[in-house]
């Protein structure tokens, strides 16, 4: 049985195609999707084998096609122009479409749908399967680590920036991506002042199918080994970034080094959607969490922060692909009156975590870094940096230099070249 998704964007061929497929033996049309976002969201369920798409449908770009392939959905495109038209050929090629049918000649459609071959780097289907599928570590040694945390500014950006900067300081290439749909803070924390948003530029290139060659042009180098994709300049511009763009950015980033991603706080999916699956604000965060090899969750140590952390750990279970979760309890201080043991008991009651770290309140260090527009490792040793260096040891064990003295010897003041 071949399960088909259709996405005609209201083109006239839709009913003809539907009648031909639905009546054919061995084919079932699962859904007539209203637009590309609906198609991609439905493909994620992992039930479909083939997507019958309008070649000229708005929003059908190479990153959308990559998403289909990721879920093992084989594309068949219908064009309203002549199939041998040069522009049509070029568009099909750019999208990686190998099966192309003319809208006014759908007679052989069922046959094409039944026989279309897998193309490109087809991966396993289904979110869960995908996460469970072993990655070829030899071919792709770099990891994607998502830094997430509930609302209330628990310190996600501080943690993400420090982890990436510390990794780079140790000599491992690191790529820091600001994917917070509520407005990025990475550029500001690192003193990167230009107006150009790496995320928006990269999303535009991903949409045009040009991210492969031009990814580096969307990044900023901070020192020799830290590459930064800055975030949204204004929170309302989240609408320009699709989940598939973010997936492409992570794939490209991973070619350069280990990827650390700052995300938004909300895990809510599609709060105000009318029908189908419109792009949603939190799609960025959700796609990063689904793609991550490990998730670092940051919670604040005060009573409000801890209850949000507990809730967050429960909510997180439904949106990850099964990646290990490591918890950082931030801004620990004696005046709160509870011990690490008490907090550990609470966290373990809500989630099975792969590690738990306590980060001290260290306002002097964070203020110094914020005012200077530098990362914590650039500002020299301190209790917060030491605790976060312990997180880097655990998340990236290969970055720990052999030898007894090496890893803790953080120079008092290292200024990375910008
Ligand atoms: N351990 C700490 N000690 C003192 N201050 C801290 C600590 N961690 C973070 N901060 C400060 O708390 C504030 C919020 O941190 P940060 O911006 O990293 O949080 P966030 O979770 O990314 O917030 P947002 O929701 O705004 O993205 C910043 O001023 C930061 O310097
Ligand atoms: Mg932040």
């Amino acid at each position: 049985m071949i399960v088909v998704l259709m996405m005609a964007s209201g083109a006239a061929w839709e009913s003809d195609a539907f009648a031909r497929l639905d009546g054919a033996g061995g084919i079932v049309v699962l859904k007539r999707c209203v637009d590309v976002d609906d198609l991609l969201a439905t493909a994620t369920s992992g039930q479909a084998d083939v997507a019958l798409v309008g070649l000229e449908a708005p929003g059908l770009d190479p990153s959308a096609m990559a998403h289909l392939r990721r879920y093992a959905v084989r594309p068949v495109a219908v064009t309203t122009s002549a199939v041998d038209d040069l522009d049509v050929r070029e568009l099909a090629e750019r999208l990686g479409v190998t099966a192309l049918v003319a809208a006014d000649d759908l007679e052989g459609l069922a046959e094409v749908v039944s026989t279309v071959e897998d193309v490109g780097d087809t991966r396993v289907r289904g979110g869960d399967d995908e996460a469970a599928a072993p990655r070829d570590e030899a071919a792709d040694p770099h990891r994607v680590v998502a830094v997430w945390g509930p609302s209330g500014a628990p310190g996600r950006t501080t943690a993400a920036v420090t982890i990436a900067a510390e990794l780079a300081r140790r000599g491992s290439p690191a790529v820091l991506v600001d994917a917070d749909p509520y407005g990025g803070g990475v550029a500001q924390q690192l003193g990167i002042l230009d107006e150009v948003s790496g995320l928006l530029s990269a999303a535009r290139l991903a949409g045009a199918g040009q991210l492969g060659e031009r990814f580096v042009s969307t990044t900023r180098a901070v020192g020799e080994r830290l590459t930064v994709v800055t975030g949204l300049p204004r929170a309302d511009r989240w609408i320009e970034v699709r989940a598939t763009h973010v997936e492409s950015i992570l794939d490209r980033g991973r070619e350069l080094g280990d990827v650390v991603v700052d995300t938004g706080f909300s895990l809510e999916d599609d709060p105000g959607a009318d029908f189908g699956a419109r792009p949603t604000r939190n799609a960025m965060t959700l796609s990063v969490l689904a793609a991550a090899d490990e998730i670092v969750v940051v919670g604040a140590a005060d009573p409000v922060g801890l209850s949000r952390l507990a809730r967050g750990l429960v909510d997180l279970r439904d949106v990850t692909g099964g990646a290990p979760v490591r918890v950082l309890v931030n801004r620990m201080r004696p005046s709160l009156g509870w011990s690490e043991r008490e907090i550990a008991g609470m966290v373990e009651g809500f989630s099975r975590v792969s590690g738990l770290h306590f980060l001290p309140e260290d306002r002097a260090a964070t203020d110094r870094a914020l005012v200077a527009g530098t990362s914590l490792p650039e500002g020299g040793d301190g209790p917060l940096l030491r605790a976060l260096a312990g997180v880097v040891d655990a998340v990236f064990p290969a970055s720990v230099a052999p030898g007894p003295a090496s890893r803790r010897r953080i120079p008092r003041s290292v200024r990375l070249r910008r």
Side-chain angles (χ1 to χ4, degrees):
M1 179 66 69
I2 294 174
V3 179
V4 179
L5 303 177
M6 286 181 61
M7 196 273 300
S9 302
W13 54 265
E14 181 173 16
S15 47
D16 186 13
F18 179 74
R20 285 173 194 276
L21 293 183
D22 214 41
I27 294 178
V28 62
V29 177
L30 180 67
K31 188 172 179 190
R32 294 159 78 163
C33 303
V34 293
D35 56 20
V36 171
D37 293 301
D38 190 12
L39 172 72
L40 299 185
T42 313
T44 307
S45 74
Q47 294 169 335
D49 301 296
V50 171
L52 182 68
V53 298
L55 185 71
E56 296 89 0
L60 190 72
D61 60 25
S63 72
M65 299 300 279
H67 181 94
L68 292 178
R69 282 200 289 278
R70 189 169 291 128
Y71 288 91
V73 179
R74 307 185 290 275
V76 173
V78 177
T79 176
T80 45
S81 311
V83 286
D84 51 6
D85 182 286
L86 267 186
D87 288 344
V88 168
R89 291 255 150 214
E90 200 184 298
L91 177 59
E93 205 164 292
R94 192 161 67 78
L95 293 175
V97 167
T98 53
L100 190 60
V101 182
D104 56 6
D105 182 16
L106 293 179
E107 203 158 321
L109 183 64
E111 172 72 18
V112 174
V113 164
S114 308
T115 55
V116 61
E117 301 266 327
D118 287 352
V119 289
D121 56 344
T122 306
R123 288 213 228 148
V124 288
R125 74 162 51 156
D128 292 348
D129 291 354
E130 185 177 13
R135 212 157 45 76
D136 183 353
E137 298 246 338
D140 183 12
H142 299 303
R143 314 178 72 214
V144 171
V145 174
V147 179
W148 179 78
S151 61
R156 291 183 307 268
T157 305
T158 305
V161 167
T162 310
I163 290 170
E166 172 62 11
L167 194 58
R169 192 196 65 78
R170 293 179 184 189
S172 299
V175 180
L176 174 62
V177 180
D178 187 338
D180 186 341
Y182 294 86
V186 165
Q188 208 162 14
Q189 285 206 13
L190 284 172
I192 299 172
L193 298 174
D194 45 53
E195 297 280 297
V196 184
S197 157
L199 187 66
L200 291 179
S201 316
R204 266 195 299 274
L205 287 174
Q210 295 167 355
L211 192 64
E213 319 88 81
R214 294 179 53 196
F215 174 64
V216 174
S217 73
T218 69
T219 66
R220 284 284 307 250
V222 175
E224 277 174 30
R225 290 181 209 88
L226 179 58
T227 301
V228 180
V229 178
T230 57
L232 298 180
R234 280 204 335 246
D236 61 355
R237 297 190 65 180
W238 63 269
I239 194 107
E240 295 169 45
V241 187
R242 285 168 186 272
T244 51
H245 299 156
V246 175
E247 287 165 7
S248 305
I249 292 167
L250 300 185
D251 285 345
R252 294 287 82 80
R254 195 183 241 153
E255 289 167 4
L256 300 183
D258 286 308
V259 184
V260 179
V261 197
D262 188 5
T263 64
F265 64 89
S266 178
L267 301 178
E268 213 174 320
D269 194 14
D270 214 16
D274 41 2
F275 61 93
R278 321 300 308 171
T280 66
R281 183 165 204 163
N282 302 316
M284 260 193 246
T285 302
L286 295 171
S287 64
V288 172
L289 291 171
D293 298 300
E294 179 155 356
I295 298 168
V296 170
V297 176
V298 187
D302 61 85
V304 177
L306 285 181
S307 66
R308 284 180 179 160
L309 173 64
R311 239 249 83 85
L313 287 171
V314 174
D315 294 345
L316 194 64
R317 279 192 225 144
D318 297 332
V319 301
T320 72
V325 170
R326 183 174 295 280
V327 173
L328 319 186
V329 177
N330 192 16
R331 312 192 75 158
M332 280 292 279
R333 47 202 186 268
S335 52
L336 287 169
W338 39 58
S339 67
E340 294 187 353
R341 223 163 106 190
E342 284 165 314
I343 294 181
M346 183 220 75
V347 167
E348 276 149 20
F350 285 97
S351 181
R352 247 205 6 234
V353 299
S354 65
L356 178 61
H357 303 253
F358 294 92
L359 312 180
E361 171 80 21
D362 190 355
R363 198 69 254 192
T366 55
D367 279 349
R368 205 165 51 231
L370 282 175
V371 170
T374 55
S375 66
L376 290 181
E378 290 174 89
D381 200 6
L384 178 58
L385 176 60
R386 249 169 285 145
L388 279 163
V391 175
V392 178
D393 292 351
V395 178
F396 300 103
S399 73
V400 181
S406 51
R407 84 174 190 217
R408 291 280 176 254
R409 220 179 333 115
I410 296 164
R412 262 213 64 74
S413 178
V414 205
R415 280 207 63 94
L416 299 177
R417 247 191 310 123
R418 197 159 308 234

